[in-house]
Amino acid sequence: MAVDYTVIVVYLAGMLAMGWWGMRRAKSKSEFLVAGRRLGPAMYSGTMAAIVLGGASTIGGVGLGYQYGLSGAWMVFTIGLGLLALSVFFSARIARLKVYTVSEMLDLRYGGRAGVISGVVMWAYTLMLAVTSTIAYATIFDVLFDMNRTLAIILGGSIVVVYSTLGGMWSITLTDMVQFVVKTVGVLLLLLPIAVVKAGGFGAMKAKLPTAYFDPLGIGGETIFTYVLIYTFGMLIGQDIWQRVFTARSDTTAKWGGTVAGTYCLVYALAGAVIGTAAKVLYPKLPSADTAFATIVKDELPVGVRGLVLAAALAAVMSTSSGALIACATVANNDIWSKLRGAVRRDGEEHDEVKGNRAFILIMGVAVICTAIALNNVVEALTVAYNLLVGGLLVPILGGLLWKRGTAHGALASVVVGGLAVIGLMATYGILANEPVYYGLLASLVVYVAVSLATPATDAVVLAAWRERLAGRAPEPLSEPVPAPQ
């Protein structure tokens, strides 16, 4: 294992070095939070693919392949579909807004009245996304070093917190590019063909497994529909995803770079399912499907290659964890703390704001690590986060982008009713039930339309400023959005 350990240690040291280098570039708020909005197509595609394909997509995707066969690809596949939809239909307009958070977009669209409440919902989502990613370190370090769960979470989480705090989005972008390359080589070019060969090839896999393992819809239509609601729609509105869109050099980069990343996700989804199916042939009686990835890596890969593939798993976890962490800190600082203390951005303050955002990443990072240590049920935590995100924010965000008659009162009512409905239904049906997101989303939509039609239309001045920003003709604002006249 000495060679494998060396590969991992070199990889982790490289992540810290990237953080130090990124610190030298992050000299303004724009550089720190959105990499100066300067990423070109290649870097944008790589970092976008890195953040959406995390530990759940890698370790969880292989686990679903082990449990259901090829149809286990649907979870990651719907993530790719969401990224494609975002890139083709919305990313150009989002990039032209020149904002930092989803809540800022809502303020611009509705006249400065939706930020704090939507910010709280988005903060809860990004926090739990970071927590669930951080917990995944325990699985990987256990395979590598037989390490205690708490120590593994502290080690992996601390490395992400350090490089994210040092250089912000520049550090995260640089590390994500390395992680994208490592994941591509480790999972697609090494683990996938080796797993298939070890299982005897596709012919042997078909002969040894039930036919349901090769049914594209074997996982069930209702499950696929739920994945679409949660993951495809979640990709359209998550702060962690939007913050990457804000890094694009142009709206063309956002559109086509994201399309490439989304297509890559579809390939990655199928690869994970095939690896899981091969693991089922090799290890038909594993105690848990989630151990399939670690088991096949540990037992079937040669020295050196094993270290690289485990580094790929670390890369998958770190990219999502760091992206969720900076999103969580950005929302906490810009959408909640700044507004609660009445802060207004002025000329000349951007440089000074780097220190504040860096402090929030450190604080949120410590909170994420502590929560990850205390939390046991990862699936339930992630389900709560996505249910709140989709049930509370999908309708007002897409409504603001697509329907000019939507109003601030309708948006606020939609967030509150949708969020409360999801929480109440989870308490009634259970956290993992499908009904909460179904009915919560429906309640959010009905309330948004009804209240918007029953209240005065958004002020013409606010809508005019919104259209200018969507068209890319207005400069980035240096103060809070102008509220609608009372």
Side-chain angles (χ1 to χ4, degrees), residues 257-319:
T259 300
V260 171
T263 304
Y264 178 90
C265 291
L266 303 183
V267 175
Y268 200 90
L270 184 59
V274 171
I275 293 168
T277 305
K280 184 67 175 180
V281 173
L282 295 167
Y283 312 98
K285 296 183 180 181
L286 288 178
S288 170
D290 287 337
T291 63
F293 178 88
T295 302
I296 197 169
V297 169
K298 188 175 183 179
D299 293 349
E300 302 298 336
L301 299 186
V303 173
V305 173
R306 179 170 49 206
L308 184 58
V309 173
L310 286 171
L314 271 177
V317 175
M318 284 184 165
S319 56

Coordinates of all heavy atoms in Angstrom, one line a residue, residues 257-319:
G257 N -20.2 25.6 -22.5 CA -19.3 24.9 -21.6 C -20.2 24.1 -20.7 O -19.8 22.9 -20.3
G258 N -21.3 24.6 -20.2 CA -22.2 23.8 -19.4 C -22.8 22.6 -20.2 O -23.0 21.5 -19.6
T259 N -23.1 22.8 -21.5 CA -23.6 21.7 -22.3 C -22.6 20.5 -22.4 O -22.9 19.3 -22.3 CB -23.9 22.2 -23.7 OG1 -24.9 23.2 -23.6 CG2 -24.5 21.0 -24.5
V260 N -21.3 20.9 -22.5 CA -20.2 19.8 -22.5 C -20.2 19.1 -21.2 O -20.1 17.9 -21.1 CB -18.9 20.5 -22.8 CG1 -17.8 19.5 -22.6 CG2 -18.9 21.0 -24.3
A261 N -20.3 19.9 -20.1 CA -20.2 19.3 -18.7 C -21.4 18.4 -18.5 O -21.3 17.3 -17.9 CB -20.2 20.4 -17.7
G262 N -22.6 18.8 -19.0 CA -23.8 18.0 -18.8 C -23.7 16.7 -19.6 O -24.1 15.6 -19.1
T263 N -23.2 16.7 -20.8 CA -23.0 15.5 -21.6 C -22.0 14.6 -20.9 O -22.2 13.3 -20.9 CB -22.4 15.9 -23.0 OG1 -23.4 16.8 -23.6 CG2 -22.3 14.7 -23.9
Y264 N -20.9 15.1 -20.3 CA -19.9 14.3 -19.6 C -20.6 13.6 -18.4 O -20.3 12.4 -18.1 CB -18.8 15.3 -19.1 CG -17.8 14.6 -18.2 CD1 -16.6 14.0 -18.8 CD2 -17.9 14.5 -16.8 CE1 -15.7 13.4 -18.0 CE2 -17.0 13.8 -16.0 CZ -15.8 13.3 -16.6 OH -14.9 12.7 -15.9
C265 N -21.6 14.3 -17.8 CA -22.3 13.7 -16.6 C -23.1 12.4 -17.1 O -23.2 11.5 -16.3 CB -23.3 14.7 -16.0 SG -22.4 16.0 -15.1
L266 N -23.7 12.5 -18.3 CA -24.4 11.4 -18.8 C -23.5 10.1 -19.0 O -23.9 9.0 -18.6 CB -25.1 11.7 -20.1 CG -26.0 12.9 -20.1 CD1 -26.7 13.1 -21.5 CD2 -27.1 12.8 -19.0
V267 N -22.3 10.4 -19.5 CA -21.3 9.3 -19.7 C -20.9 8.8 -18.3 O -20.8 7.5 -18.1 CB -20.1 9.8 -20.4 CG1 -19.0 8.7 -20.5 CG2 -20.5 10.3 -21.8
Y268 N -20.7 9.6 -17.4 CA -20.3 9.3 -16.0 C -21.3 8.4 -15.3 O -21.0 7.5 -14.6 CB -20.0 10.5 -15.2 CG -19.1 10.3 -14.0 CD1 -17.7 10.4 -14.1 CD2 -19.6 10.1 -12.7 CE1 -16.9 10.3 -13.0 CE2 -18.8 9.9 -11.6 CZ -17.4 10.0 -11.7 OH -16.6 9.9 -10.6
A269 N -22.6 8.8 -15.6 CA -23.7 8.0 -15.0 C -23.7 6.6 -15.4 O -23.8 5.7 -14.6 CB -25.0 8.7 -15.4
L270 N -23.6 6.4 -16.7 CA -23.6 5.0 -17.3 C -22.3 4.3 -16.8 O -22.4 3.1 -16.4 CB -23.6 5.1 -18.8 CG -23.7 3.7 -19.5 CD1 -24.9 3.0 -19.1 CD2 -23.6 3.9 -21.0
A271 N -21.2 4.9 -16.7 CA -20.0 4.3 -16.2 C -20.1 3.7 -14.8 O -19.8 2.6 -14.5 CB -18.8 5.2 -16.3
G272 N -20.7 4.6 -13.9 CA -20.9 4.2 -12.5 C -21.9 2.9 -12.4 O -21.6 2.0 -11.6
A273 N -22.9 2.9 -13.2 CA -23.9 1.8 -13.2 C -23.2 0.5 -13.7 O -23.4 -0.6 -13.1 CB -25.1 2.1 -14.1
V274 N -22.4 0.6 -14.7 CA -21.7 -0.5 -15.2 C -20.7 -1.1 -14.2 O -20.6 -2.3 -14.0 CB -21.0 -0.2 -16.6 CG1 -20.1 -1.4 -17.0 CG2 -22.0 0.1 -17.7
I275 N -19.9 -0.2 -13.6 CA -19.0 -0.6 -12.5 C -19.7 -1.3 -11.4 O -19.3 -2.4 -10.9 CB -18.2 0.6 -12.0 CG1 -17.3 1.2 -13.1 CG2 -17.4 0.2 -10.7 CD1 -16.7 2.5 -12.7
G276 N -20.9 -0.8 -11.0 CA -21.7 -1.4 -9.9 C -22.2 -2.8 -10.4 O -22.2 -3.7 -9.6
T277 N -22.6 -2.9 -11.6 CA -23.1 -4.2 -12.1 C -22.0 -5.2 -12.1 O -22.2 -6.4 -11.8 CB -23.7 -4.0 -13.6 OG1 -24.7 -3.0 -13.5 CG2 -24.2 -5.3 -14.1
A278 N -20.8 -4.8 -12.5 CA -19.6 -5.7 -12.5 C -19.3 -6.1 -11.0 O -19.0 -7.3 -10.8 CB -18.4 -5.0 -13.1
A279 N -19.4 -5.2 -10.1 CA -19.2 -5.5 -8.7 C -20.2 -6.5 -8.2 O -19.9 -7.4 -7.4 CB -19.3 -4.2 -7.9
K280 N -21.4 -6.5 -8.7 CA -22.5 -7.5 -8.3 C -22.1 -8.9 -8.8 O -22.3 -9.9 -8.1 CB -23.8 -7.1 -8.9 CG -25.0 -8.0 -8.5 CD -25.3 -7.9 -7.0 CE -26.5 -8.7 -6.6 NZ -26.8 -8.6 -5.2
V281 N -21.4 -9.0 -9.9 CA -20.9 -10.3 -10.4 C -19.8 -10.8 -9.5 O -19.8 -12.0 -9.1 CB -20.5 -10.2 -11.9 CG1 -19.8 -11.5 -12.3 CG2 -21.7 -9.8 -12.8
L282 N -18.9 -9.9 -9.2 CA -17.7 -10.3 -8.4 C -18.0 -10.5 -6.9 O -17.4 -11.4 -6.3 CB -16.7 -9.2 -8.5 CG -16.1 -9.0 -9.9 CD1 -15.3 -7.7 -10.0 CD2 -15.2 -10.2 -10.3
Y283 N -18.9 -9.7 -6.4 CA -19.3 -9.8 -4.9 C -20.8 -9.8 -4.8 O -21.4 -8.7 -4.4 CB -18.6 -8.6 -4.2 CG -17.2 -8.4 -4.5 CD1 -16.8 -7.4 -5.4 CD2 -16.2 -9.1 -3.9 CE1 -15.5 -7.2 -5.7 CE2 -14.9 -8.9 -4.2 CZ -14.5 -7.9 -5.1 OH -13.2 -7.7 -5.4
P284 N -21.4 -10.9 -5.0 CA -22.9 -10.9 -5.0 C -23.6 -10.7 -3.7 O -24.8 -10.4 -3.6 CB -23.2 -12.3 -5.6 CG -22.0 -13.1 -5.3 CD -20.9 -12.2 -5.4
K285 N -22.8 -10.8 -2.6 CA -23.5 -10.8 -1.3 C -22.8 -9.7 -0.4 O -22.6 -10.0 0.8 CB -23.5 -12.1 -0.6 CG -24.3 -13.2 -1.4 CD -24.3 -14.5 -0.6 CE -25.1 -15.5 -1.4 NZ -25.1 -16.9 -0.7
L286 N -22.6 -8.5 -0.9 CA -22.0 -7.5 0.0 C -23.1 -7.1 1.0 O -24.3 -7.0 0.7 CB -21.6 -6.3 -0.8 CG -20.4 -6.4 -1.7 CD1 -20.1 -5.1 -2.5 CD2 -19.2 -6.7 -0.8
P287 N -22.7 -6.7 2.2 CA -23.7 -6.3 3.2 C -24.4 -5.0 2.9 O -25.6 -4.8 3.3 CB -22.9 -6.1 4.5 CG -21.5 -5.9 4.0 CD -21.3 -6.7 2.8
S288 N -23.8 -4.1 2.1 CA -24.4 -2.9 1.7 C -24.0 -2.5 0.3 O -22.8 -2.7 0.0 CB -24.0 -1.7 2.7 OG -24.4 -0.5 2.2
A289 N -24.9 -2.0 -0.5 CA -24.6 -1.6 -1.9 C -23.6 -0.5 -1.9 O -22.8 -0.3 -2.8 CB -25.8 -1.2 -2.6
D290 N -23.6 0.4 -0.9 CA -22.7 1.5 -0.8 C -21.2 1.1 -0.6 O -20.3 2.0 -0.8 CB -23.1 2.5 0.3 CG -24.4 3.2 0.0 OD1 -24.7 3.3 -1.2 OD2 -25.1 3.7 0.9
T291 N -21.0 -0.1 -0.3 CA -19.6 -0.5 -0.1 C -19.0 -1.1 -1.4 O -17.8 -1.5 -1.5 CB -19.5 -1.6 1.0 OG1 -20.2 -2.8 0.6 CG2 -20.0 -1.1 2.3
A292 N -19.8 -1.2 -2.5 CA -19.4 -1.8 -3.7 C -18.2 -1.1 -4.3 O -17.2 -1.7 -4.8 CB -20.5 -1.8 -4.7
F293 N -18.2 0.2 -4.3 CA -17.1 1.0 -4.9 C -15.8 0.7 -4.2 O -14.8 0.3 -4.8 CB -17.4 2.5 -4.8 CG -16.3 3.4 -5.4 CD1 -16.2 3.7 -6.7 CD2 -15.3 3.8 -4.5 CE1 -15.2 4.5 -7.2 CE2 -14.2 4.6 -5.0 CZ -14.2 4.9 -6.4
A294 N -15.8 0.8 -2.8 CA -14.6 0.6 -2.0 C -14.1 -0.8 -2.2 O -12.9 -1.1 -2.2 CB -14.8 1.0 -0.6
T295 N -15.0 -1.8 -2.2 CA -14.6 -3.2 -2.3 C -13.9 -3.5 -3.6 O -12.9 -4.2 -3.6 CB -15.9 -4.1 -2.1 OG1 -16.5 -3.8 -0.8 CG2 -15.5 -5.5 -2.1
I296 N -14.5 -3.1 -4.7 CA -13.9 -3.4 -6.0 C -12.6 -2.7 -6.2 O -11.6 -3.2 -6.8 CB -14.9 -3.1 -7.1 CG1 -14.4 -3.9 -8.4 CG2 -15.0 -1.6 -7.4 CD1 -15.4 -3.8 -9.5
V297 N -12.4 -1.5 -5.6 CA -11.2 -0.8 -5.7 C -10.1 -1.5 -4.9 O -9.0 -1.7 -5.3 CB -11.4 0.7 -5.3 CG1 -10.0 1.4 -5.1 CG2 -12.2 1.4 -6.3
K298 N -10.5 -1.9 -3.7 CA -9.5 -2.4 -2.7 C -9.0 -3.8 -3.2 O -7.9 -4.1 -3.1 CB -10.2 -2.5 -1.4 CG -9.2 -2.9 -0.2 CD -9.9 -2.9 1.1 CE -9.0 -3.2 2.2 NZ -9.6 -3.1 3.6
D299 N -9.9 -4.6 -3.7 CA -9.6 -6.0 -4.0 C -9.2 -6.3 -5.5 O -8.5 -7.3 -5.7 CB -10.8 -6.9 -3.7 CG -11.2 -6.9 -2.2 OD1 -10.3 -6.5 -1.4 OD2 -12.2 -7.4 -1.9
E300 N -9.6 -5.5 -6.4 CA -9.4 -5.8 -7.8 C -8.3 -5.0 -8.5 O -7.9 -5.4 -9.6 CB -10.7 -5.7 -8.6 CG -11.8 -6.6 -8.1 CD -11.5 -8.1 -8.1 OE1 -10.6 -8.5 -9.0 OE2 -12.0 -8.9 -7.3
L301 N -8.0 -3.8 -8.0 CA -7.0 -3.0 -8.7 C -5.6 -3.2 -8.3 O -5.3 -3.4 -7.1 CB -7.4 -1.5 -8.5 CG -8.8 -1.1 -9.0 CD1 -9.0 0.4 -8.8 CD2 -9.1 -1.5 -10.4
P302 N -4.7 -3.0 -9.3 CA -3.2 -3.2 -8.9 C -2.7 -2.0 -8.1 O -3.3 -0.9 -8.1 CB -2.6 -3.3 -10.3 CG -3.5 -2.6 -11.2 CD -4.9 -2.8 -10.7
V303 N -1.6 -2.2 -7.5 CA -0.9 -1.2 -6.7 C -0.7 0.1 -7.6 O -0.3 0.0 -8.8 CB 0.4 -1.7 -6.1 CG1 1.2 -0.5 -5.4 CG2 0.1 -2.8 -5.1
G304 N -0.8 1.2 -7.0 CA -0.6 2.5 -7.8 C -1.9 2.9 -8.5 O -2.4 4.0 -8.2
V305 N -2.5 2.0 -9.2 CA -3.8 2.3 -9.9 C -4.9 2.4 -8.8 O -5.7 3.3 -8.8 CB -4.2 1.2 -10.8 CG1 -5.7 1.4 -11.3 CG2 -3.3 1.1 -12.0
R306 N -4.8 1.6 -7.7 CA -5.7 1.7 -6.6 C -5.6 3.0 -5.9 O -6.6 3.7 -5.6 CB -5.4 0.6 -5.6 CG -6.3 0.6 -4.4 CD -6.0 -0.7 -3.6 NE -4.6 -0.9 -3.4 CZ -4.1 -2.1 -3.2 NH1 -4.8 -3.2 -3.2 NH2 -2.8 -2.2 -3.0
G307 N -4.4 3.5 -5.7 CA -4.3 4.8 -5.1 C -4.8 5.9 -6.0 O -5.5 6.9 -5.5
L308 N -4.7 5.8 -7.3 CA -5.2 6.9 -8.2 C -6.7 6.9 -8.2 O -7.4 7.9 -8.2 CB -4.7 6.6 -9.6 CG -5.1 7.7 -10.7 CD1 -4.6 9.1 -10.3 CD2 -4.5 7.3 -12.0
V309 N -7.3 5.7 -8.2 CA -8.8 5.6 -8.2 C -9.4 6.1 -6.9 O -10.4 6.8 -6.9 CB -9.3 4.2 -8.5 CG1 -10.8 4.0 -8.4 CG2 -8.8 3.8 -9.9
L310 N -8.7 5.8 -5.8 CA -9.2 6.3 -4.5 C -9.0 7.8 -4.5 O -9.8 8.6 -3.9 CB -8.4 5.6 -3.4 CG -8.8 4.2 -3.1 CD1 -7.9 3.5 -2.1 CD2 -10.3 4.2 -2.6
A311 N -7.9 8.3 -5.1 CA -7.8 9.8 -5.2 C -8.9 10.3 -6.1 O -9.4 11.5 -5.8 CB -6.4 10.1 -5.9
A312 N -9.4 9.6 -7.1 CA -10.5 10.0 -7.9 C -11.8 10.1 -7.0 O -12.6 11.1 -7.1 CB -10.8 9.1 -9.0
A313 N -11.9 9.2 -6.1 CA -13.1 9.2 -5.2 C -13.0 10.4 -4.3 O -13.9 11.2 -4.0 CB -13.2 7.9 -4.4
L314 N -11.8 10.7 -3.8 CA -11.5 11.9 -2.9 C -11.8 13.1 -3.7 O -12.4 14.1 -3.2 CB -10.1 11.9 -2.5 CG -9.8 11.2 -1.1 CD1 -8.3 11.3 -0.8 CD2 -10.6 11.9 0.0
A315 N -11.4 13.1 -5.0 CA -11.6 14.3 -5.9 C -13.1 14.6 -6.0 O -13.6 15.7 -6.0 CB -11.0 14.1 -7.3
A316 N -13.9 13.5 -6.2 CA -15.3 13.7 -6.4 C -15.9 14.3 -5.1 O -16.8 15.2 -5.2 CB -16.0 12.3 -6.7
V317 N -15.5 13.8 -4.0 CA -16.1 14.3 -2.7 C -15.6 15.7 -2.5 O -16.4 16.6 -2.1 CB -15.7 13.4 -1.5 CG1 -16.1 14.0 -0.2 CG2 -16.2 12.0 -1.7
M318 N -14.4 16.0 -2.7 CA -13.8 17.3 -2.4 C -14.4 18.4 -3.3 O -14.7 19.5 -2.9 CB -12.3 17.3 -2.5 CG -11.6 16.7 -1.4 SD -9.8 16.8 -1.5 CE -9.3 16.3 0.2
S319 N -14.6 18.1 -4.6 CA -15.2 19.1 -5.5 C -16.6 19.5 -5.1 O -16.9 20.7 -5.1 CB -15.2 18.6 -6.9 OG -15.9 17.4 -7.0

